């Protein structure tokens, strides 16, 4: 067994080890704040046997984490009452105050401190990084529960086991013999160990049950079809597949995923989550189980379960752990190795936000508000797919949709059901497209109309007609920036005078990742001059406090958490309209837009960098260069 001495940590950063290695780095970083390095040999701290709260309090005081007075107070309080709670939990509820910053010592902080004190790595268990199937094979659920440990990683030569009782190691030789691997101990929050022991073993059991019940894709698949036909209630207790699907959704919500991918490959089924725009592999499982999961999800999404050769769409409403309704849009696609399923998650919290939360600067929020309060005309939002256009439109429409106003949308597809709108979906196979839809909506006594996208002249013409007859029309265009929208409309064949008569303004937008607030640090090497250089001739005036990405368990070591919009808002003033003619110059349009108050995307990004919300690299990657 290798445990206890910090030198063991060196050389454990090979591939596949980073979960533990980075946690070790993290705990070292934290320890360095408390003066004493975990690398110092500590004969006095050798721990054999169960933890004891008196001893822990003594160590906390020795390490200078709490003051002598605080130690005395804690001992007095804990001695006064009997408690069956394990020592770390017991100490976490008395609310000891940390000497250095006055913060209350949480269970997490105590676990991390204990790890450092004993020279062991501290690990925050990340369910997405744990191969549940392999880990569950390392020991039985009963064994793990009895010893209050949880295997978190199984490598070719060692198995990493999380414990909250590092002094209890009598089980180690047995596990080493059984797994034919060396046991490496790491310390984790005892409540996390308890929670994930339950979840991991339940999940592993569900997958095993699904594999067994299936025997092949056909069997489990037929079974599910049968259940759907007979309308029998699915029993979550004996249905492995049902549990795996439930687990999948819970984790996706926990991890703030925007999309879930179920991908059949030649050998394995792969599950990936998209988080803040980046895909993360989550789990691999037998293709048969993946097929059964896809069938179950199709069933819930009221899709044709038998049809696997044609792409299908569907939607599901479910609840997240907080009890909020979450809407998911499903789509399937036949691929070489089976049916691929993608679920897009529309979290009600993230979908409709106020302008500030979306990332609007005060300057643009004011101008946007004024624009969308106009009684009629066309307001366009532009940007590539996945730049947050729909979120901006929904958030804006939501605030305009009062009892006195009829808001109608025609979308392809309806991304999010919003009770305040009348929403219609394009049905191409019925010849019901955007232009047809708009024509129909016009007979519905509308005030405000939203057309998913303008991509042909027929739709553009209808939008113009609607605006000319006194309606406010919102839509999107696929262009790189706001001024290009005018050119795009002309390319479609809309006459310049009609553009001038109807288009009120164009909002160009992008999404950039925001720095994780928990781990970002001031970027002392960044200079204001470098920032000004990329936005010449603009200058980032005002506060300048850039931060850089570090990475912690909370942000999956990416250094970023969540995304926000960057916006450029072009308002069509009289001077601007003068420049929209038969042969408009892109340059002239851009210059006029800027004169009228537009801050280009890259400049908007630079301001976010100066505020320390994102990084310059992130902005440069997401925004077009200045002209
Ligand atoms: Zn972080």
């Amino acid at each position: 067994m290798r445990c206890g001495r910090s030198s063991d940590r060196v050389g454990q950063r090979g591939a596949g080890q980073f979960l533990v290695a980075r946690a070790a780095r993290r705990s070292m970083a934290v320890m360095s704040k408390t003066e004493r390095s975990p690398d110092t040999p500590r004969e006095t701290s050798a721990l054999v046997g169960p933890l004891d709260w008196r001893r822990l309090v003594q160590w906390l005081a020795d390490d200078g984490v709490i003051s002598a007075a605080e130690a005395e107070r804690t001992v007095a309080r804990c001695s006064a009452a009997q408690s069956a709670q394990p020592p770390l939990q017991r100490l976490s509820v008395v609310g000891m105050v940390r000497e250095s910053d006055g913060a209350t010592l949480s269970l997490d902080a105590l676990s991390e401190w204990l790890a450092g004190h004993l020279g062991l790595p501290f690990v925050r268990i990340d369910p997405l990084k744990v191969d549940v199937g392999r880990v569950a094979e390392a020991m039985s659920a009963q064994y793990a529960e009895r010893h209050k440990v949880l295997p978190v990683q199984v490598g070719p030569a060692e198995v990493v086991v999380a414990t909250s009782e590092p002094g209890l190691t009598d089980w180690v030789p047995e596990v080493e013999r059984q797994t034919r691997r060396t046991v490496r101990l790491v310390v984790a929050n005892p409540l996390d160990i308890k929670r994930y022991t339950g979840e991991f073993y339940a999940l592993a059991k569900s997958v095993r049950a699904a594999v067994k019940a299936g025997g092949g894709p056909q069997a489990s698949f037929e079974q599910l079809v049968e259940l759907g036909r007979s309308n029998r209630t699915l029993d979550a207790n004996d249905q492995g597949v049902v549990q795996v699907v439930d687990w999948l959704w819970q984790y996706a919500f926990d991890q703030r995923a925007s999309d879930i991918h179920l991908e059949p490959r030649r050998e394995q089924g792969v599950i990936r989550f998209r988080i803040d725009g980046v895909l993360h592999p989550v789990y691999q499982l037998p293709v048969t189980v993946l097929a059964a999961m896809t069938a179950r999800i199709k069933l819930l999404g009221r899709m044709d379960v038998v049809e696997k050769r044609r792409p299908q769409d569907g939607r599901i409403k479910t609840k997240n752990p907080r009890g909020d309704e979450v809407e998911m849009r499903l789509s399937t696609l036949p691929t070489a190795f089976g049916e691929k399923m993608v679920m897009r998650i529309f979290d009600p919290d993230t979908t409709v936000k106020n302008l500030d939360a979306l990332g609007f600067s005060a300057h643009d929020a004011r101008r946007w508000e004024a624009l969308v309060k106009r009684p009629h005309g066309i307001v366009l939002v532009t940007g590539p797919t996945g730049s947050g256009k729909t979120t901006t439109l929904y958030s804006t429409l939501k605030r305009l949709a009062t009892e006195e106003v009829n808001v109608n949308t025609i979308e392809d597809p309806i991304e999010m059901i919003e009770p305040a709108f009348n929403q219609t979906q394009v049905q191409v196979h019925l010849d019901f497209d955007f232009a047809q839809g708009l024509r129909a909506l016009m007979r519905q006594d509308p005030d405000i109309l939203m057309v998913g996208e303008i991509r042909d002249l027929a739709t553009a013409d209808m939008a113009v007609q609607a605006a000319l007859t006194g309606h406010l029309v919102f839509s999107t265009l696929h262009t790189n920036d706001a001024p290009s929208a005018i050119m795009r409309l002309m390319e479609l064949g809309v006459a310049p005078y009609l553009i001038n008569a109807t288009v009120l303004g164009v909002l160009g937008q992008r999404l950039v990742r925001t720095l994780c607030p928990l781990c970002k640090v001031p970027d002392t090497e960044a200079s204001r001059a470098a920032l000004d250089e990329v936005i010449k001739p603009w200058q980032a005036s005002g506060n300048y406090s850039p931060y850089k990405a570090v990475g912690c368990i909370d942000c999956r070591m990416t250094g970023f958490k969540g995304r926000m919009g960057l916006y450029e808002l072009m308002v069509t003033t009289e001077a601007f309209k003068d420049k929209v003619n038969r042969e408009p110059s892109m340059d002239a349009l851009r210059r006029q837009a800027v004169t009228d108050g537009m801050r280009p995307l890259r400049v908007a990004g630079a301001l976010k960098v100066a505020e320390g919300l994102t990084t310059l690299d992130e902005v440069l990657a997401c925004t077009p260069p200045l002209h």
Side-chain angles (χ1 to χ4, degrees):
M1 185 194 103
R2 291 195 276 148
C3 83
R5 288 299 145 228
S6 51
S7 59
D8 279 341
R9 260 182 267 146
V10 181
Q12 281 161 359
R13 293 187 190 172
Q17 297 286 354
F18 68 104
L19 169 80
V20 171
R22 74 198 185 200
R25 277 203 299 283
R26 182 191 157 90
S27 73
M28 284 168 78
V30 169
M31 282 308 294
S32 64
K33 280 183 210 147
T34 58
E35 289 165 35
R36 208 183 306 239
S37 152
D39 293 324
T40 318
R42 310 178 52 81
E43 292 312 319
T44 51
S45 303
L47 176 66
V48 180
L51 292 174
D52 167 69
W53 66 264
R54 283 175 196 275
R55 206 157 160 204
L56 289 174
V57 172
Q58 186 58 50
W59 285 350
L60 282 163
D62 288 351
D63 284 358
V65 176
I66 57 172
S67 67
E70 184 70 355
E72 231 168 84
R73 246 196 318 276
T74 306
V75 170
R77 277 186 67 181
C78 288
S79 310
Q82 285 291 326
S83 168
Q85 273 194 317
L88 275 180
Q89 277 107 307
R90 189 169 183 195
L91 290 178
S92 73
V93 295
V94 300
M96 280 182 293
V97 171
R98 182 159 53 203
E99 181 71 358
S100 57
D101 59 359
T104 307
L105 282 166
S106 64
L107 186 54
D108 245 0
L110 285 169
S111 308
E112 198 166 342
W113 159 80
L114 179 67
H117 184 88
L118 297 172
L120 286 170
F122 172 74
V123 167
R124 196 156 293 160
I125 299 168
D126 180 349
L128 295 195
K129 290 277 187 282
V130 174
D131 184 340
V132 175
R134 299 204 64 190
V135 151
E137 283 166 12
M139 63 179 77
S140 72
Q142 293 75 12
Y143 194 87
E145 268 164 22
R146 189 162 72 240
H147 295 285
K148 298 194 168 51
V149 297
L150 177 64
V152 290
Q153 197 173 11
V154 181
E158 67 170 15
V159 45
V160 180
V161 181
T163 176
S164 55
E165 280 285 358
L168 296 179
T169 54
D170 47 339
W171 51 272
V172 170
E174 196 177 348
V175 171
E176 292 195 326
R177 205 168 46 244
Q178 288 282 337
T179 59
R180 299 203 184 101
R181 286 168 172 84
T182 317
V183 165
R184 187 155 63 83
L185 280 186
V186 296
V187 175
N189 180 324
L191 288 183
D192 280 358
I193 292 181
K194 203 168 167 205
R195 170 190 166 187
Y196 289 120
T197 302
E199 287 189 11
F200 288 176
Y201 282 98
L203 176 64
K205 194 172 153 207
S206 303
V207 172
R208 272 202 307 276
V211 174
K212 215 153 95 196
Q218 222 43 37
S220 48
F221 163 69
E222 290 298 340
Q223 195 185 357
L224 283 165
V225 174
E226 208 45 54
L227 288 169
R229 280 208 194 104
S230 65
N231 233 352
R232 205 188 91 192
T233 332
L234 293 166
D235 183 353
N237 295 322
D238 59 24
Q239 287 292 316
V241 175
V242 173
Q243 285 183 4
V244 180
V245 169
D246 284 350
W247 161 84
L248 181 71
W249 285 340
Q250 293 312 310
Y251 273 137
F253 301 149
D254 265 5
Q255 302 295 330
R256 304 176 298 110
S258 61
D259 303 81
I260 307 171
H261 294 235
L262 303 186
E263 305 175 6
R265 305 262 173 93
R266 192 189 291 275
E267 306 290 344
Q268 282 276 324
V270 176
I271 300 179
R272 295 194 289 173
F273 286 174
R274 187 178 294 281
I275 302 167
D276 295 337
V278 182
L279 277 173
H280 298 261
V282 176
Y283 201 63
Q284 295 206 349
L285 69 189
V287 177
T288 52
V289 177
L290 195 83
M293 289 172 72
T294 304
R296 157 116 184 117
I297 295 164
K298 283 168 77 178
L299 198 71
L300 295 174
R302 298 206 188 116
M303 296 154 87
D304 180 349
V305 182
V306 181
E307 177 60 79
K308 292 208 264 183
R309 294 156 308 168
R310 279 194 313 178
Q312 293 187 60
D313 295 328
R315 52 177 66 245
I316 288 181
K317 231 182 209 168
T318 181
K319 289 212 155 104
N320 66 14
R322 292 193 308 268
D324 305 325
E325 274 196 352
V326 178
E327 180 125 2
M328 283 187 280
R329 195 173 83 207
L330 318 175
S331 96
T332 65
L333 190 72
T335 69
F337 300 109
E339 204 171 19
K340 180 182 192 303
M341 157 92 61
V342 176
M343 286 168 265
R344 164 148 288 192
I345 302 169
F346 296 102
D347 183 345
D349 286 352
T350 57
T351 305
V352 175
K353 288 178 175 173
N354 60 36
L355 295 181
D356 187 39
L358 287 172
F360 273 86
S361 64
H363 169 83
D364 283 335
R366 232 176 7 250
R367 298 167 68 231
W368 179 247
E369 291 282 5
L371 196 68
V372 302
K373 285 205 177 107
R374 304 268 286 271
H376 51 85
I378 297 176
V379 176
L380 295 168
V381 179
T382 79
T385 306
S387 57
K389 301 189 291 285
T390 311
T391 304
T392 306
L393 282 176
Y394 275 131
S395 303
T396 302
L397 285 178
K398 174 90 197 245
R399 281 175 317 123
L400 297 175
T402 58
E403 295 264 298
E404 298 86 48
V405 177
N406 178 11
V407 175
N408 287 274
T409 74
I410 172 96
E411 301 169 65
D412 181 21
I414 295 174
E415 290 201 8
M416 166 95 194
I417 303 284
E418 174 48 62
F421 313 157
N422 298 297
Q423 293 169 286
T424 307
Q425 181 155 325
V426 162
Q427 313 250 17
V428 181
H429 57 283
L430 299 177
D431 270 338
F432 186 71
D433 58 13
F434 279 129
Q436 294 276 352
L438 255 180
R439 194 166 293 125
L441 291 192
M442 290 288 285
R443 295 190 287 266
Q444 288 280 313
D445 184 28
D447 298 291
I448 297 173
L449 294 158
M450 196 262 266
V451 194
E453 190 188 340
I454 294 178
R455 50 189 171 207
D456 52 42
L457 181 58
T459 311
D461 274 344
M462 281 309 303
V464 167
Q465 284 311 313
L468 289 175
T469 51
H471 305 97
L472 187 59
V473 183
F474 288 88
S475 192
T476 71
L477 276 176
H478 270 265
T479 63
N480 248 339
D481 59 10
S484 307
I486 302 297
M487 300 304 243
R488 180 88 187 104
L489 286 176
M490 289 182 71
E491 279 161 24
L492 287 175
V494 183
Y497 77 92
L498 287 177
I499 294 177
N500 279 340
T502 55
V503 176
L504 302 174
V506 185
L507 182 76
Q509 79 170 82
R510 291 292 188 281
L511 287 178
V512 285
R513 293 186 296 165
T514 42
L515 283 164
C516 169
L518 295 180
C519 63
K520 69 179 183 180
V521 295
D523 188 353
T524 47
E525 282 154 41
S527 74
R528 192 186 279 264
L531 189 64
D532 284 342
E533 180 60 30
V534 299
I535 55 167
K536 261 197 315 201
W538 296 75
Q539 280 187 344
S541 57
N543 266 352
Y544 179 70
S545 51
Y547 276 71
K548 64 181 174 189
V550 176
C552 64
I553 298 283
D554 273 294
C555 59
R556 333 193 53 70
M557 297 314 285
T558 56
F560 294 92
K561 197 166 184 186
R563 290 189 292 176
M564 67 178 168
L566 299 180
Y567 302 93
E568 63 178 17
L569 179 55
M570 181 180 91
V571 179
T572 51
T573 59
E574 288 309 315
F576 185 90
K577 288 176 186 172
D578 278 346
K579 304 211 161 42
V580 181
N581 46 45
R582 287 274 154 224
E583 297 283 333
S585 132
M586 205 52 226
D587 256 3
L589 292 184
R590 274 204 190 92
R591 267 200 305 276
Q592 187 60 49
V594 167
T595 307
D596 295 337
M598 180 180 86
R599 284 180 189 153
L601 285 168
R602 188 158 279 190
V603 177
L607 292 174
K608 303 288 185 197
V609 175
E611 285 176 55
L613 296 173
T614 188
T615 65
L616 186 54
D617 285 346
E618 189 69 13
V619 169
L620 292 180
C622 293
T623 57
L626 290 173
H627 295 270

